[in-house]
Amino acid sequence: MKKILILGAGTGGTIMANKLRKALDREEWDITIVDKQQTHYYQPGFLFIPFGIYNKQDVIKPKANFIPSGVNIIFNDVDKIVPEENKVLLTGGKVLAYDYLIVATGTRPFPDETPGLKDELWYKEIFDFYTIEGAVALKEFFETWQGGRLVMNIAEMPYKCPVAPLEFVFLADEYFTKIGIRDKVDISYVTPLPGAFTKPRATKMLGALLEEKNIEVIPDFYLESVDNKEKKIKSYDGKEIPFDVLTIVPVNKGDEMIERSGMGDDLNFIPTDKYTLQSEKHENIFVLGDASNIPTSKAGSVAHFASDVLFDNIMCAIKGRRLRAKFDGHANCYIETGFGKGSLIDFNYETEPLPGTYPLPGIGPFGLLQNTKMNHYGKVVFRWMYWHMLLKGKELPIESEMTMAGKKK
Amino acid sequence: MAQKTIAGVNLEVTEDGYLEDSTQWNEEIAKEIAKEEGIELTDKHFEVINFIRENADAGLTIRKVGKSGIVDIKGFYELFPGGPLKIASKIAGIKKPTSCV
């Protein structure tokens, strides 16, 4: 019996378990997936919790519901990968051997990386919204907050879901307007980037929207530490910004297991061929989603598009063929902009987000780099598609590879 | 793309003044670009610049330079005030650093 081992039952790992089980003979191939947690979080939904739009029940389901029969699930911590021996050691002593390994252990915030961040104000006046605990604590804080300086800060690049902090400030603008205290709330967006976003056209469009909503952008701010006494964030070059409430994207790193295995870069992301998704060092190890260092967004849409390529390449590898599928870095992000509207960006390694329509040229129904009601509905409907289609590896009505059709240069 | 003469060498540069061909770089060119940025290069600057040139292909971040053992992040800001990675990359004759989202 040959063995495929998948580490991580998040978006990427779950999709792969479904695709591979369908394609591979059960007499010949054993498939096992390992995760430390039993709960699957719909992470794009965390953003809506602080504003009371979703609650905890809307974003959690048991992981086991999405793993097909015929795949072994093990809920256990991974101690480390021993690539030279084709083995994975689990905490507690169990050893799993593999012929092919898929690492899909994602990325998570590490607030401990920044001095003063996880200190006395943590979850009192400083919050992240990338964890269920942070999102729920922030909701409770907002329910009684009377107004003041709200500072949204990004500590380090890269981080997962690059548009989420923008969506957060747009939704905050709407929330405080609706409860009647927007005039008492100063919102600023403090980023290490030179502008609202990395790519020129999206930066221009989103920058204009931020200005329209009276949200100040403070660029080129690289966070060194947080002063809990004076309630200020400080940058390496001595800039200081005061806050009454700080919402933060902490430093993102890959799983600590990657570090224990000696397989990561300085942020525990695994050096990976950006086209084939094969580990640069080990030819029977593949990396899917946020765990890799490929130069595209860390986002569920990327893991989803990349899973088609990874599936093809694993089938090639099994048959001893050259890896022929190439990932283009395709990412597709809905951006909630508040008041029932949304924007949409679609891009890859080579092409920056451009205006146009999606997925059908000239028809849409979604508008790229436009602010429309339909884009917001797209985001709402997506949660259903995620649970019912995407995780189970079913075909979605969109292509994995980015297309120029419908885009205007 | 534009032409520019730096330290007596005719070079192709990008709109923002980054060298198109990093193999044409030399220390004299570095000194002249640094002068335009208001920086007088010391040996410490060159240690950082050499680290940046050696690691250009692997992808650079401010954090990575801070872990180089040559300077910490604060020191990197002091050597190249404003945007250390952007400015140091320009002086080192490599491409403008891009963040991918």
Side-chain angles (χ1 to χ4, degrees):
Chain A
M1 197 81 152
K2 285 184 245 173
K3 292 176 194 301
I4 293 183
L5 180 56
I6 303 170
L7 301 182
T11 308
T14 302
I15 294 174
M16 287 314 294
N18 280 288
K19 282 181 186 282
L20 290 168
R21 189 65 289 170
K22 220 176 286 169
L24 295 172
D25 190 332
R26 294 183 184 212
E27 304 294 309
E28 222 179 310
W29 286 93
D30 177 272
I31 303 176
T32 299
I33 188 162
V34 181
D35 199 291
K36 56 181 140 195
Q37 282 180 338
Q38 305 209 12
T39 303
H40 190 111
Y41 291 101
Y42 175 62
Q43 296 186 60
F46 287 177
L47 171 71
F48 298 98
I49 289 176
F51 308 108
I53 301 167
Y54 286 174
N55 63 37
K56 197 172 167 180
Q57 297 315 313
D58 291 324
V59 299
I60 56 175
K61 287 187 197 287
K63 279 192 164 140
N65 289 7
F66 302 96
I67 306 299
S69 68
V71 170
N72 316 306
I73 322 178
I74 300 175
F75 291 113
N76 204 108
D77 273 313
V78 173
D79 176 26
K80 62 178 169 182
I81 304 166
V82 190
E84 298 74 23
E85 298 174 21
N86 299 324
K87 274 182 193 161
V88 168
L89 314 182
L90 301 186
T91 309
K94 197 168 176 175
V95 179
L96 302 173
Y98 61 82
D99 294 283
Y100 292 96
L101 178 69
I102 298 169
V103 184
T105 43
T107 174
R108 69 174 177 87
F110 284 75
D112 289 328
E113 288 280 317
T114 304
L117 185 55
K118 207 172 171 181
D119 213 320
E120 56 190 273
L121 296 181
W122 184 247
Y123 289 179
K124 295 195 180 74
E125 286 169 339
I126 300 176
F127 304 88
D128 69 333
F129 50 84
Y130 278 75
T131 59
I132 191 78
E133 296 80 14
V136 170
L138 183 54
K139 173 191 181 330
E140 285 163 11
F141 176 85
F142 278 162
E143 279 169 354
T144 57
W145 195 46
Q146 304 294 319
R149 281 167 302 212
L150 166 62
V151 173
M152 173 74 243
N153 175 230
I154 298 151
E156 175 67 288
M157 306 292 295
Y159 60 94
K160 67 176 138 186
C161 195
V163 296
L166 284 164
E167 298 182 277
F168 180 82
V169 290
F170 290 139
L171 290 173
D173 167 66
E174 176 185 352
Y175 178 82
F176 294 116
T177 303
K178 286 191 172 159
I179 64 171
I181 61 166
R182 181 65 179 91
D183 58 336
K184 297 192 181 70
V185 179
D186 259 348
I187 307 177
S188 46
Y189 186 81
V190 184
T191 168
L193 296 174
F197 205 63
T198 52
K199 307 287 164 72
R201 296 216 204 180
T203 298
K204 203 171 157 203
M205 185 262 175
L206 293 164
L209 209 51
L210 287 162
E211 200 180 329
E212 192 184 297
K213 291 173 190 284
N214 198 19
I215 297 165
E216 188 190 5
V217 178
I218 302 174
D220 295 314
F221 185 97
Y222 194 39
L223 180 68
E224 183 190 21
S225 62
V226 180
D227 185 331
N228 283 253
K229 288 274 169 301
E230 294 188 27
K231 296 215 271 182
K232 280 177 180 167
I233 52 173
K234 297 180 172 180
S235 74
Y236 281 103
D237 54 348
K239 287 181 273 191
E240 296 184 350
I241 297 171
F243 63 84
D244 293 305
V245 55
L246 173 65
T247 54
I248 183 92
V249 182
V251 174
N252 271 235
K253 287 169 51 169
D255 200 278
E256 285 152 314
M257 172 275 294
I258 307 291
E259 191 175 4
R260 289 195 291 273
S261 311
M263 290 172 67
D265 63 14
D266 57 337
L267 290 168
N268 300 346
F269 297 124
I270 303 176
T272 302
D273 185 298
K274 70 176 185 175
Y275 299 118
T276 64
L277 307 176
Q278 190 175 38
S279 141
E280 283 181 6
K281 281 221 189 91
H282 308 282
E283 62 174 30
N284 62 341
I285 299 180
F286 293 85
V287 190
L288 182 61
D290 299 350
S292 84
N293 75 335
I294 62 172
T296 183
S297 290
K298 296 203 176 294
S301 70
V302 174
H304 167 235
F305 295 135
S307 71
D308 283 344
V309 170
L310 183 56
F311 174 76
D312 282 352
N313 280 344
I314 287 184
M315 298 311 270
C316 287
I318 284 171
K319 290 174 189 138
R321 291 209 203 103
R322 189 178 58 84
L323 308 183
R324 62 175 178 202
K326 280 193 171 174
F327 187 49
D328 64 351
H330 189 191
N332 180 288
C333 309
Y334 285 96
I335 308 172
E336 278 293 302
T337 55
F339 296 95
K341 287 188 175 179
S343 188
L344 178 65
I345 53 176
D346 190 65
F347 56 103
N348 67 12
Y349 293 139
E350 311 297 335
T351 308
E352 65 163 310
L354 296 171
T357 54
Y358 184 87
L360 300 174
I363 297 169
F366 304 119
L368 294 167
L369 275 188
Q370 296 168 35
N371 194 25
T372 69
K373 285 202 164 139
M374 187 53 93
N375 289 339
H376 163 73
Y377 295 132
K379 183 131 187 165
V380 174
V381 168
F382 184 74
R383 182 166 62 114
W384 188 90
M385 291 189 12
Y386 181 86
W387 291 125
H388 296 274
M389 297 171 77
L390 186 138
L391 285 178
K392 294 182 176 165
K394 291 184 186 163
E395 292 282 322
L396 295 192
I398 44 175
E399 294 293 320
S400 297
E401 200 170 327
M402 200 204 76
T403 168
M404 281 308 289
K407 293 191 173 65
K408 292 175 209 140
K409 279 209 167 179
Chain B
M1 219 183 288
Q3 297 277 331
K4 196 172 174 186
T5 304
I6 306 175
V9 190
N10 199 19
L11 298 163
E12 302 234 323
V13 295
T14 65
E15 283 172 20
D16 319 323
Y18 288 77
L19 298 199
E20 289 283 353
D21 178 1
S22 80
T23 63
Q24 292 183 303
W25 181 89
N26 62 41
E27 293 197 355
E28 291 310 309
I29 291 172
K31 282 180 192 162
E32 200 154 315
I33 299 173
K35 207 173 279 172
E36 288 177 21
E37 297 286 336
I39 298 170
E40 194 74 41
L41 295 184
T42 62
D43 290 350
K44 197 78 184 168
H45 285 100
F46 273 110
E47 274 183 59
V48 175
I49 288 167
N50 288 331
F51 176 83
I52 284 177
R53 285 184 61 83
E54 282 158 21
N55 291 280
D57 292 336
L60 283 161
T61 58
I62 291 179
R63 169 179 290 267
K64 198 162 177 175
V65 177
K67 285 186 178 174
S68 63
I70 302 165
V71 279
D72 59 11
I73 297 177
K74 229 175 176 118
F76 189 31
Y77 267 94
E78 280 161 13
L79 291 175
F80 304 94
L85 193 61
K86 277 181 279 182
I87 295 166
S89 297
K90 190 190 259 190
I91 297 171
I94 64 163
K95 284 202 171 61
K96 187 174 178 176
T98 50
S99 324
C100 33
V101 226

